[in-house]
């Protein structure tokens, strides 16, 4: 979908990947000008791929994986070939959660108290725990999703964390914030101005889902609260996010927290310079009646979007189920009852199943109440 939108806007799209050409989907082949197979983990091989393309087609205008794992390598390649976009000198503030805090504060957004724990200062966390109290939340300073994260409930768990923290991995440890996770997602132009934005809600957080083997449900709202839109635009400016997707996460506090904020205040969590994970771009399309892939391609081609943004808007929710759990209603019953609402359903790849579940159903509704009934129907446990 990303590649097709670029081609429709007149780009020659040159693909570099580790899959064989025969493994690529027909729709992808039709929209690629050329494809080069190499080992993506080997920088020299990827460099050679870009050198080959540069010699054949001329200077490369953009390079993008839309994948957090390759963020640093993308930047290194842009440096090497003088390509538009994020450079290696910028990468820490986009990848290290501790550096993100500085940009959030610059944007005027509150952040939870935190400390960065390395192999050399692990015991400093004891004083931090006394300052902010339990629980604490620990996660890799550079990382994606909930992998490697810990909720630390007491001193015994804290001492175990100190003993078992992976060698060579810096952790950020924060005061625990109670609240709903919401996100501000969209696309920016070259001036770090938002040309499209969306608002998602995660009633159970990804971390909670992973650690409880829970059922995932999240949704896109039909509109963005004015306060969140203002904060989100300030954050995009503070991070200088240019011609990119962004997925910026916040807490909406569910109670007053001394020194941090009052109930319903918005507190920054982290920023991700990519499209939201899984098949969320499709969910955004269903909620807002747009083509977000085209909006992104418009940003690169025209520095604005020509997509019409005022179509009918919906509550679009994604409810998933797990293979190791039994449910009251069958797959066929779900499809029959909600055949007028379901936009997409299928299986998540194994690599996403810890976070998102195994089978998913995306559906859109005019009201939030209807959407929540859909969630309850899909995820109702067997008796």
């Amino acid at each position: 979908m990303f590649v097709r939108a670029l081609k429709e806007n007149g780009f020659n799209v040159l693909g570099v990947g580790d899959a064989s050409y025969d493994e690529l989907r027909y729709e992808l082949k039709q929209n690629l000008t050329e494809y080069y197979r190499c080992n993506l983990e080997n920088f020299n091989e990827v460099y050679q791929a870009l050198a080959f393309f540069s010699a054949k087609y001329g200077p490369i205008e953009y390079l993008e994986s839309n994948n957090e794992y390759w963020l640093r390598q993308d930047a290194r390649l842009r440096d090497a070939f003088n390509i538009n976009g994020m450079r290696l000198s910028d990468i820490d503030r986009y990848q290290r959660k501790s550096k993100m805090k500085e940009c959030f504060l610059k944007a005027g957004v509150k952040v939870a108290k935190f400390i960065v724990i390395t192999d050399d200062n692990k015991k400093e966390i004891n004083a931090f725990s006394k300052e902010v109290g339990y629980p604490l939340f620990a996660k890799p300073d550079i990382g994606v999703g909930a992998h490697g994260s810990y909720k630390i409930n007491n001193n015994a768990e804290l001492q175990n964390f100190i003993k078992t923290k992976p060698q060579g991995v810096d952790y950020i440890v924060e005061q625990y914030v109670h609240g709903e996770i919401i996100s501000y997602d969209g696309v920016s132009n070259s001036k770090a101005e938002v040309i499209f934005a969306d608002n998602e809600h995660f009633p159970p957080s990804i971390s909670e889902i992973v650690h409880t083997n829970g059922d995932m449900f999240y949704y896109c709202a039909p509109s963005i609260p004015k306060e969140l839109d203002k904060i989100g635009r300030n954050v995009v400016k503070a991070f200088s996010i240019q011609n990119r997707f962004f997925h910026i996460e916040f807490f909406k506090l569910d109670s007053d927290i001394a020194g941090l904020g009052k109930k319903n205040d918005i507190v920054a969590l982290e920023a991700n310079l990519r499209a939201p994970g899984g098949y969320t771009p499709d969910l955004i399309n269903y909620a807002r009646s747009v083509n977000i892939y085209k909006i992104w391609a418009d940003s690169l081609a025209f520095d604005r979007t020509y997509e019409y943004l005022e179509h009918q808007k919906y509550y679009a929710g994604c409810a998933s189920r797990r293979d190791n759990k039994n449910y009251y209603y069958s797959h066929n019953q779900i499809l029959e009852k909600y055949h007028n609402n379901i936009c997409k359903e299928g299986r998540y790849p194994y690599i996403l199943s810890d976070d998102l579940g195994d089978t998913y159903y995306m559906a859109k509704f005019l009201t939030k109440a209807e959407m929540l009934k859909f969630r309850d129907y899909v995820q109702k446990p067997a008796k």
Side-chain angles (χ1 to χ4, degrees):
M1 301 299 288
F2 299 94
V3 172
R4 186 173 76 176
L6 289 170
K7 185 177 180 181
E8 288 175 351
N9 275 355
F11 285 101
N12 278 328
V13 190
L14 308 169
V16 181
D18 55 12
S20 70
Y21 184 74
D22 290 341
E23 290 179 84
L24 304 185
R25 291 177 59 178
Y26 173 79
E27 297 91 340
L28 179 55
K29 292 177 182 178
Q30 291 302 298
N31 291 293
L32 283 174
T33 301
E34 190 166 347
Y35 179 73
Y36 190 112
R37 184 187 185 187
C38 65
N39 177 5
L40 294 176
E41 298 284 357
N42 186 318
F43 178 81
N44 290 333
E45 289 191 27
V46 184
Y47 180 94
Q48 289 169 10
L50 266 66
F52 170 79
F53 282 148
S54 296
K56 186 171 181 178
Y57 296 98
I60 296 169
E61 190 170 3
Y62 292 104
L63 179 146
E64 187 56 67
S65 65
N66 280 317
N67 189 318
E68 210 160 319
Y69 182 81
W70 302 112
L71 209 60
R72 187 170 292 272
Q73 179 164 280
D74 289 351
R76 188 178 174 191
L77 288 165
R78 291 192 196 97
D79 279 356
F81 290 89
N82 194 28
I83 299 171
N84 292 323
M86 184 197 316
R87 297 302 181 89
L88 203 54
S89 58
D90 303 320
I91 205 72
D92 268 0
R93 79 168 180 265
Y94 298 131
Q95 209 170 31
R96 287 192 176 275
K97 295 175 176 62
S98 55
K99 294 293 183 182
M100 292 177 191
K101 303 278 190 182
E102 298 173 10
C103 288
F104 281 125
L105 291 170
K106 180 181 175 183
V109 189
K110 296 176 181 178
V111 300
K113 292 181 179 178
F114 71 98
I115 184 172
V116 177
I117 299 299
T118 67
D119 293 341
D120 300 324
N121 73 338
K122 289 192 289 188
K123 293 190 177 179
E124 291 182 16
I125 195 174
N126 288 309
F128 180 74
S129 69
K130 292 176 182 176
E131 177 189 352
V132 302
Y134 293 105
L136 304 172
F137 197 79
K139 56 191 174 183
D141 198 21
I142 298 177
V144 182
H147 298 290
S149 64
Y150 302 81
K151 183 179 179 183
I152 301 171
N153 295 293
N154 51 51
N155 185 62
E157 292 182 7
L158 179 63
Q159 301 314 311
N160 183 62
F161 167 74
I162 292 172
K163 291 177 184 176
T164 60
K165 186 192 82 68
Q167 281 287 111
V169 179
D170 293 350
Y171 263 72
I172 182 169
V173 181
E174 303 171 294
Q175 69 179 128
Y176 195 87
V177 177
H178 294 275
E180 181 187 16
I181 294 178
I182 59 176
S183 70
Y184 184 76
D185 299 352
V187 178
S188 63
N189 65 13
S190 65
K191 303 179 185 68
E193 297 168 339
V194 176
I195 63 173
F196 173 80
D198 172 74
N199 172 215
E200 293 164 44
H201 295 248
F202 300 83
S205 70
I206 294 289
S207 172
E208 183 182 339
I209 294 296
V210 170
H211 291 119
T212 64
N213 191 42
D215 291 328
M216 181 62 181
F217 173 75
Y218 68 104
Y219 68 93
C220 296
S223 61
I224 307 172
K226 287 184 179 180
E227 181 188 6
L228 178 62
D229 191 47
K230 179 181 178 181
I231 289 171
R233 290 173 185 273
N234 288 342
V235 170
V236 170
K237 274 287 187 185
F239 276 84
S240 190
I241 302 173
Q242 300 172 338
N243 293 117
R244 294 188 68 88
F245 276 102
F246 52 83
H247 172 65
I248 305 168
E249 297 177 347
F250 302 90
F251 288 108
K252 184 177 180 180
L253 300 185
D254 59 16
S255 60
D256 295 356
I257 299 179
L260 188 59
K262 296 186 177 296
K263 183 178 180 179
N264 293 325
D265 280 357
I266 294 174
V267 175
L269 176 52
E270 63 184 57
N272 302 278
L273 274 71
R274 54 167 171 79
Y279 303 134
T280 306
D282 295 333
L283 193 67
I284 293 172
N285 286 344
Y286 304 142
R288 305 299 291 278
S289 301
V290 296
N291 182 344
I292 196 171
Y293 305 101
K294 182 67 163 58
I295 293 171
W296 171 70
D298 282 355
S299 169
L300 300 185
F302 314 119
D303 211 31
R304 54 162 293 180
T305 184
Y306 288 96
E307 183 79 356
Y308 183 64
L309 304 179
E310 299 307 321
H311 293 292
Q312 174 70 58
K313 298 174 177 60
Y314 301 88
Y315 285 93
C318 181
S320 65
R321 312 209 297 191
R322 295 189 179 275
D323 291 346
N324 62 0
K325 298 171 72 173
N326 294 318
Y327 298 90
Y328 190 87
Y329 296 107
S330 70
H331 171 73
N332 288 338
Q333 285 175 304
I334 294 170
L335 297 186
E336 182 178 351
K337 182 174 178 62
Y338 287 102
H339 66 276
N340 288 328
N341 304 95
I342 290 176
C343 305
K344 181 176 182 175
E345 52 85 16
R347 301 274 300 174
Y348 281 124
Y350 174 75
I351 196 169
L352 298 178
S353 60
D354 276 359
D355 287 359
L356 300 178
D358 297 296
T359 301
Y360 68 86
Y361 302 88
M362 292 183 176
K364 63 182 184 181
F365 302 87
L366 288 173
T367 69
K368 185 177 179 180
E370 291 176 295
M371 179 188 66
L372 295 179
K373 285 181 181 179
F374 159 76
R375 175 201 62 187
D376 294 344
Y377 189 90
V378 170
Q379 297 179 340
K380 182 177 180 178
K383 290 183 178 178

